[in-house]
Amino acid sequence: MSTEQLFLLRRQDFDKEERLQKRSFDIISNLRLVVFVVGALAVLMAGYLGTARQALYVGLPFLLVFIYIIHRHDQVEARLNIARAMVKINQQYQDRLSEQWVKFTDQGQEFADPDHPYSTDLDIFGPKSLFQWISVARTYCGRQHLYQLLAEPPQEPDSILARQGAIKELAGKLEFCQGLECRGWLAPEANRDPEELIAYAEESSSVSQFMKIIRFLPLITALSLVLYFLQLLTLLVPIALLLLQSFIVLFTYQKTGGALKPVYSFQKSLHSFGGMLEAIETEPFQDPYISSLQAELKKQSIPASTAMKELGKISGAIDMNRSMFYLIINVGLLWEIQCALRLANWKVRYGDRVGDWLRVIGTMEALASLAVITHIHPDWAYPEIEGQGQKISAGELGHPLLPPDKCVRNDIDIDNYSCIVTGSNMSGKSTWLRAIGINLVLAY
């Protein structure tokens, strides 16, 4: 099967999956609306014909069903978003085999530097560039690492061979590479510079003893409400406790809000980071270089993906402040205080590892971007690196950014720095020189 057929079939399969999940999504959306309307009417009827307590008993089953439907709805939405992303990803792989890749939005334009020794002349960054053609990096760290490999690659033979080994293994793991890209695609915010998050995670965080104690106050308040419904306690007691919690929220709002804001601003990115870390951790690799990256993610008592997902859950809990019931939840459960305590404990355990985890993601994205070349052109050769001398020798060398039907291939043999290229005007000398240069960039 040709690569064109492979990516076409994959796109068609994910297109079918997208339609299937869209039908399920619409059905559950309608069901959620029905349950909400019927439940609301049932509660109003019970309250009108009976007592408030009876209305509560009637509404509770509807509430539980409604919560379950919301959970199922979120699951289907997640699968729908994955299918949509995979359709786009495989379409882009198809586009790389034609000239449609020049329409990709990520051109790496910010990396274009007219003073760089070769990147401008060789179209490494910017419109119709090598970066635009191969990049599958969706995070800030991934794009930065790919930039480093293309603009300032480590040129030691051992370093080059280590990357070659990693890329050769990734070349046989299309599913993994596309899955990694998909997880980054699901959160466009992931391309934001994470320096603020890293600095925040690494800074020390202390919580007052007062906050550690009052976190249990909502349990006492809930117990008083239960005793009230059992007619064992007057209503004044839970009301007094709720008023106390209101004052606590009022006086701690500024401190807890300031502590929660940085991690909340990265909420969507955290879920993508967690998924990408999990993909890297669970994929079986044989290559020593990639295995060493995996080892970086397993230095703690729990895997990095688990810790990052835990941070994502804390961020999701902070997101409760966007709910219309936020004030009730915050007062009733001292919600922001609970989140601040969870966040402080998380930072103590894992805060100093966040930067390393994100750098591993970035390295894997950069390597996966280079592996794209072999995914779409499995017949292309890997360079052999010699440890000494100044020699470039290649057979049927062509410009990688030109379509195969328009690419003129030639042999080249440069020994001891020198080579003379001659020809008439418009005969392709400049294109040939650029072909040599861009292939050298890829060789490194």
Side-chain angles (χ1 to χ4, degrees):
M1 181 187 300
S2 68
T3 51
E4 294 93 334
Q5 292 173 319
L6 171 64
F7 298 126
L8 174 62
L9 289 175
R10 285 180 63 81
R11 183 177 63 79
Q12 291 174 340
D13 288 342
F14 285 112
D15 189 56
K16 293 177 183 177
E17 177 68 13
E18 180 187 357
R19 292 195 297 270
L20 177 64
Q21 296 302 330
K22 184 64 169 64
R23 284 196 297 270
S24 300
F25 181 84
D26 292 339
I27 291 172
I28 295 177
S29 296
N30 294 330
L31 181 60
R32 185 173 69 173
L33 178 62
V34 169
V35 170
F36 177 80
V37 172
V38 173
L41 292 175
V43 169
L44 290 174
M45 187 66 68
Y48 178 75
L49 299 177
T51 64
R53 186 170 293 168
Q54 289 174 329
L56 178 64
Y57 293 152
V58 170
L60 185 59
F62 282 99
L63 177 62
L64 294 175
V65 172
F66 186 72
I67 292 173
Y68 173 74
I69 291 175
I70 290 177
H71 175 67
R72 288 287 298 158
H73 191 261
D74 290 343
Q75 289 180 323
V76 172
E77 184 179 20
R79 291 196 292 268
L80 174 61
N81 289 335
I82 290 172
R84 284 173 173 168
M86 292 298 286
V87 168
K88 294 178 182 177
I89 287 169
N90 281 278
Q91 180 61 61
Q92 287 199 343
Y93 270 75
Q94 287 182 271
D95 293 341
R96 289 185 177 97
L97 290 163
S98 66
E99 295 183 79
Q100 296 302 309
W101 62 268
V102 299
K103 299 178 182 178
F104 293 174
T105 56
D106 188 8
Q107 303 172 347
Q109 183 64 54
E110 72 271 30
F111 302 129
D113 179 7
D115 296 326
H116 189 273
Y118 60 78
S119 65
T120 300
D121 286 340
L122 300 183
D123 299 316
I124 305 300
F125 307 108
K128 301 181 180 180
S129 66
L130 178 62
F131 184 96
Q132 184 183 17
W133 182 51
I134 66 173
S135 178
V136 295
R138 300 300 169 188
T139 71
Y140 178 88
C141 292
R143 298 178 75 253
Q144 289 290 326
H145 194 84
L146 182 57
Y147 159 74
Q148 292 291 332
L149 289 181
L150 296 178
E152 302 172 5
Q155 298 182 12
E156 299 80 10
D158 290 344
S159 178
I160 296 172
L161 293 175
R163 282 194 296 277
Q164 279 192 15
I167 293 165
K168 286 177 180 178
E169 179 156 8
L170 290 175
K173 291 183 176 291
L174 176 65
E175 199 71 47
F176 166 78
C177 291
Q178 289 195 347
L180 188 69
E181 182 184 5
C182 177
R183 288 165 172 84
W185 193 301
L186 294 176
E189 299 86 350
N191 65 6
R192 173 183 167 193
D193 188 347
E195 192 58 40
E196 180 186 356
L197 175 65
I198 295 171
Y200 173 73
E202 291 177 348
E203 71 179 12
S204 60
S205 180
S206 59
V207 179
S208 66
Q209 195 65 32
F210 170 73
M211 291 179 66
K212 292 179 181 180
I213 294 174
I214 63 172
R215 71 181 302 182
F216 299 107
L217 184 57
L219 292 176
I220 300 174
T221 304
L223 178 60
S224 70
L225 284 170
V226 172
L227 294 175
Y228 161 70
F229 280 111
L230 295 176
Q231 299 181 344
L232 299 175
L233 202 64
T234 176
L235 184 59
L236 292 176
V237 175
I239 289 177
L241 290 171
L242 286 171
L243 285 174
L244 175 60
Q245 291 181 196
S246 300
F247 283 115
I248 291 172
V249 168
L250 180 64
F251 287 112
T252 61
Y253 173 77
Q254 192 169 18
K255 182 177 181 180
T256 55
L260 299 175
K261 185 177 179 180
V263 71
Y264 170 69
S265 67
F266 281 89
Q267 181 193 358
K268 293 182 179 179
S269 301
L270 293 173
H271 291 290
S272 282
F273 293 154
M276 297 173 89
L277 289 169
E278 183 178 27
I280 297 170
E281 289 167 353
T282 56
E283 184 71 20
F285 288 109
Q286 302 298 320
D287 177 72
Y289 181 34
I290 300 182
S291 297
S292 69
L293 295 176
Q294 278 185 317
E296 284 289 321
L297 307 180
K298 300 176 182 180
K299 288 185 175 181
Q300 302 292 128
S301 57
I302 62 174
S305 61
T306 303
M308 188 65 78
K309 288 180 179 180
E310 186 179 330
L311 183 60
K313 290 179 181 178
I314 296 173
S315 178
I318 298 170
D319 189 43
M320 192 67 72
N321 62 13
R322 299 175 62 184
S323 169
M324 67 176 68
F325 305 110
Y326 166 68
L327 184 60
I328 298 173
I329 294 171
N330 195 23
V331 170
L333 300 176
L334 298 179
W335 192 255
E336 286 194 348
I337 292 176
Q338 309 292 351
C339 291
L341 288 165
R342 289 176 62 191
L343 182 57
N345 290 333
W346 190 95
K347 288 172 67 175
V348 169
R349 288 179 291 167
Y350 312 113
D352 61 343
R353 298 290 297 152
V354 172
D356 293 334
W357 297 342
L358 296 183
R359 281 186 283 273
V360 169
I361 291 175
T363 302
M364 289 298 296
E365 283 189 301
L367 293 173
S369 296
L370 294 170
V372 163
I373 301 172
T374 305
H375 289 151
I376 59 179
H377 294 297
D379 56 322
W380 285 13
Y382 285 83
E384 296 180 7
I385 307 298
E386 296 186 2
Q388 58 185 1
Q390 298 290 337
K391 182 180 179 64
I392 302 170
S393 181
E396 296 187 26
L397 188 73
H399 198 297
L401 301 186
L402 291 176
D405 59 336
K406 297 180 181 180
C407 180
V408 178
R409 302 179 182 278
N410 291 283
D411 298 341
I412 184 71
D413 194 0
I414 303 177
D415 197 0
N416 199 22
Y417 295 100
S418 61
C419 178
I420 298 176
V421 178
T422 64
S424 60
N425 290 340
M426 305 297 292
S427 61
K429 298 188 301 298
S430 297
T431 301
W432 174 229
L433 293 176
R434 289 190 175 96
I436 298 170
I438 198 169
N439 275 286
L440 282 174
V441 172
L442 292 176
Y444 283 124

